[in-house]
Amino acid sequence: MAMTRTERALFEVGGPKARRRIVIGTVISAILLALLLAWVIYRFYEKGQLDYRYWYFFTQGNVIAFLGAGLIGTMRAALGAGAIALVMGMLLMLCRTSSIRPLSWLAATITEFLRGTPTLLFIYFLFLVPAQFGIHMSTYWMVVIPTSAYASAVLAEVYRAGVAAVPSGQKEAGISLGLTSSQNFRYIVMPQMLRIVTPTLVAQLVVVVKDTTFGYVVTYPELMVNAKVVIANFSSLVPVYLVVAIIYVLINYAISRFANWLSHRNSIDILV
Amino acid sequence: MGADLIHLLNTYGTQFLSSYWVSLRIALIAFAGGFLLGTLLTVARVSPIPPLRGAVNVFVETFRNAPVLCVLIFIVYALPDLGIVIDYEPSVIIALVLVSSAFACDNLRTGINTIDAGQIEAARALGMGFSSIVGSIVLPQAFRSVIQPMVTLFISVVISSSAGSLVPLAHKELTGLVADINNHEAMGMVTFLIASLLYVFTGLIIAFFGRKVERRLAIWR
């Protein structure tokens, strides 16, 4: 990651004594980190976790296909929840900023409520309560509804911040041209707001992908659940969970980098 | 409905309170640990020692992007195969510490970058070394400029403590308790509402006090 001016100032190289200390520090920390890594690998070896029988199946077509199916399950849930959240978040924001007071209060309450409730609690709710009334729901929706509910509330706040970030001169110019407030929003504010929030929307996809792991609770066939099945078949806990964790990290890292790239390219900050 | 509510409160009222406390306890310890570890990581991340900076970057990118569930499941179910057995509640706390420290480190880094490089150059001109620059000039200002993101992080740790419901805790936290009640009771719907409101109000209260602290301490630039 590139250093900023403040960070560069912190490392400005000093005199010969300071330089020597930095070299010593570098050598010692490099040795310690190498030792740590060696200890981890030895631990794996000692406990037999590097054995062929715990790893060979990763090259088998059916295992790869099964984990791949899990990954597709994750993507389906994440994209479904993301798409719903894009729309619902916009609706919540529009209601919240509307001039009809009760509507705006209602939207604010719903937003706070969804944002403050754990997704997991909502998933247990859909898993356990509708069944008590004889309603059957697919596990896909048990994951997607709570995930998108939380994301909708977050995106409503993101959109609101985006609207606030459009220079007020733009809105005033629209009004002075005689546009109605809805025309003003549609033609002046909205296009600029969407540009401002795009990197943040992408960054929020990371949260959605993470939340789909709660499919584990309702056994919706996503990556974590399929990993569990592979583990049951090959009794290989450490390697499978490690590989799956790395897959999640890589996916989310790629999404974050893409969001950062969008943000740098258009010089737009990522809103929180 | 009213009779059901009374029945639920009679049967589970005290359990609710104690589970709420377990959630708060997990969140408080995890946030404190995450904050501390995040600070240490930040110091290492801005230190003049390249291997440390690199290691911290890998750590932060890993735990910022790993789902809490993944980390927790790994600690609880995979680590025993490596000869490391940790009790359930500490496992939840460790998972949350790892993840929140990555976010705390990122917040602090943003905070550090609000400080003008001139201040550091001035400190260096006065003959101060790295540790005294970081300890008495950089960190105090960085802390004060990241109060709001840290408060947000604390609220999300409280919410994420619900991951405790994924493992059989000796003392169930709020989400786990509600799921448990609904495995026995047919009319447990209201328990979800109560739990949800507890989370929401906890978040609002933390945000309220966070704003107070911020008004007192923040540096407005």
Side-chain angles (χ1 to χ4, degrees):
Chain A
M1 211 174 277
M3 278 185 256
T4 59
R5 206 168 93 82
T6 304
E7 285 174 13
R8 273 200 304 276
L10 275 167
F11 323 129
E12 190 177 272
V13 180
K17 238 170 94 184
R19 270 205 299 264
R20 205 173 59 231
R21 274 212 305 268
I22 290 171
V23 170
I24 294 170
T26 303
V27 171
I28 291 176
S29 61
I31 291 172
L32 287 178
L33 285 169
L35 281 176
L36 181 69
L37 192 66
W39 179 78
V40 171
I41 293 172
Y42 179 72
R43 192 91 205 186
F44 269 70
Y45 169 75
E46 192 193 10
K47 295 287 169 186
Q49 293 299 328
L50 295 180
D51 289 3
Y52 179 69
R53 68 195 164 107
Y54 288 135
W55 292 89
Y56 77 95
F57 54 85
F58 281 115
T59 58
Q60 281 187 356
N62 56 348
V63 172
I64 294 173
F66 190 66
L67 287 178
L71 196 56
I72 290 171
T74 297
M75 297 290 179
R76 270 187 61 216
L79 293 178
I84 294 172
L86 283 178
V87 178
M88 292 306 291
M90 182 67 82
L91 271 178
L92 274 177
M93 183 277 283
L94 288 176
C95 293
R96 188 163 188 180
T97 53
S98 114
S99 51
I100 308 162
R101 274 298 175 77
L103 191 62
S104 131
W105 284 333
L106 183 68
T109 311
I110 292 174
T111 307
E112 289 300 335
F113 184 75
L114 295 179
R115 220 158 54 116
T117 304
T119 309
L120 205 44
L121 186 74
F122 201 174
I123 290 182
Y124 280 116
F125 176 80
L126 291 185
F127 186 45
L128 298 167
V129 173
Q132 293 169 7
F133 297 94
I135 300 165
H136 290 284
M137 187 184 260
S138 79
T139 53
Y140 178 76
W141 292 110
M142 288 181 198
V143 176
V144 168
I145 293 173
T147 303
S148 62
Y150 178 78
S152 302
V154 174
L155 292 197
E157 295 296 286
V158 170
Y159 287 132
R160 210 156 64 100
V163 169
V166 175
S168 56
Q170 296 280 328
K171 297 164 204 167
E172 286 155 12
I175 293 165
S176 69
L177 284 171
L179 298 180
T180 65
S181 69
S182 74
Q183 282 173 329
N184 204 9
F185 185 78
R186 251 174 51 207
Y187 300 116
I188 310 280
V189 178
M190 178 100 132
Q192 301 188 64
M193 177 271 270
L194 286 181
R195 222 179 88 87
I196 293 171
V197 297
T198 305
T200 315
L201 296 183
V202 174
Q204 282 298 323
L205 191 57
V206 170
V207 181
V208 174
V209 171
K210 285 180 180 176
D211 278 355
T212 61
T213 56
F214 295 137
Y216 185 86
V217 173
V218 297
T219 59
Y220 164 70
E222 44 76 64
L223 191 52
M224 277 310 274
V225 171
N226 284 15
K228 214 174 154 185
V229 177
V230 173
I231 288 169
N233 278 307
F234 297 95
S235 55
S236 160
L237 270 166
V238 179
V240 175
Y241 277 139
L242 193 63
V243 167
V244 165
I246 291 171
I247 294 174
Y248 275 114
V249 169
L250 290 179
I251 292 173
N252 286 335
Y253 181 71
I255 297 172
S256 318
R257 295 303 301 168
F258 180 54
N260 280 338
W261 177 77
L262 280 176
S263 139
H264 281 293
R265 195 191 59 166
N266 304 324
S267 43
I268 300 165
D269 284 339
I270 290 183
L271 315 161
V272 181
Chain B
M1 190 77 193
D4 285 327
L5 186 61
I6 289 166
H7 161 70
L8 282 170
L9 286 180
N10 275 336
T11 324
Y12 299 109
T14 46
Q15 281 186 51
F16 246 95
L17 283 180
S18 65
S19 289
Y20 177 58
W21 166 239
V22 174
S23 290
L24 282 185
R25 179 173 71 196
I26 291 173
L28 278 169
I29 299 172
F31 177 71
F35 191 91
L36 212 67
L37 181 58
T39 306
L40 292 176
L41 290 171
T42 308
V43 173
R45 201 183 206 183
V46 298
S47 76
I49 298 165
L52 275 186
R53 292 209 306 270
V56 171
N57 273 332
V58 172
F59 179 94
V60 169
E61 289 303 342
T62 303
F63 288 104
R64 240 170 57 103
N65 289 311
V68 172
L69 179 137
C70 237
V71 179
L72 179 62
I73 297 287
F74 192 86
I75 294 173
V76 172
Y77 296 110
L79 282 190
D81 276 10
L82 292 169
I84 300 166
V85 183
I86 304 169
D87 200 9
Y88 292 119
E89 194 174 318
S91 296
V92 176
I93 292 171
I94 291 170
L96 292 175
V97 165
L98 290 172
V99 172
S100 62
S101 70
F103 283 97
C105 181
D106 246 26
N107 288 346
L108 275 176
R109 186 177 193 237
T110 314
I112 284 179
N113 286 320
T114 62
I115 301 164
D116 192 85
Q119 289 202 29
I120 293 154
E121 285 157 9
R124 202 179 295 284
L126 289 171
M128 292 171 78
F130 175 77
S131 47
S132 51
I133 292 178
V134 169
S136 51
I137 294 180
V138 173
L139 279 184
Q141 296 189 70
F143 284 137
R144 291 170 66 173
S145 64
V146 295
I147 294 168
Q148 204 250 319
M150 287 298 186
V151 170
T152 310
L153 179 63
F154 183 32
I155 295 171
S156 62
V157 172
V158 173
I159 290 175
S160 301
S161 71
S162 61
S165 64
L166 298 163
V167 292
L169 291 178
H171 300 285
K172 287 202 182 306
E173 49 64 67
L174 199 49
T175 300
L177 174 77
V178 171
D180 204 41
I181 292 174
N182 278 270
N183 277 324
H184 316 303
E185 300 274 339
M187 270 300 289
M189 203 155 119
V190 70
T191 56
F192 278 101
L193 190 66
I194 295 171
S196 173
L197 290 176
L198 279 173
Y199 281 113
V200 171
F201 280 110
T202 308
L204 291 176
I205 289 166
I206 295 170
F208 173 77
F209 283 106
R211 273 195 298 277
K212 274 200 143 166
V213 172
E214 189 176 31
R215 224 172 295 139
R216 277 228 169 148
L217 297 178
I219 309 163
W220 302 100
R221 290 173 205 276

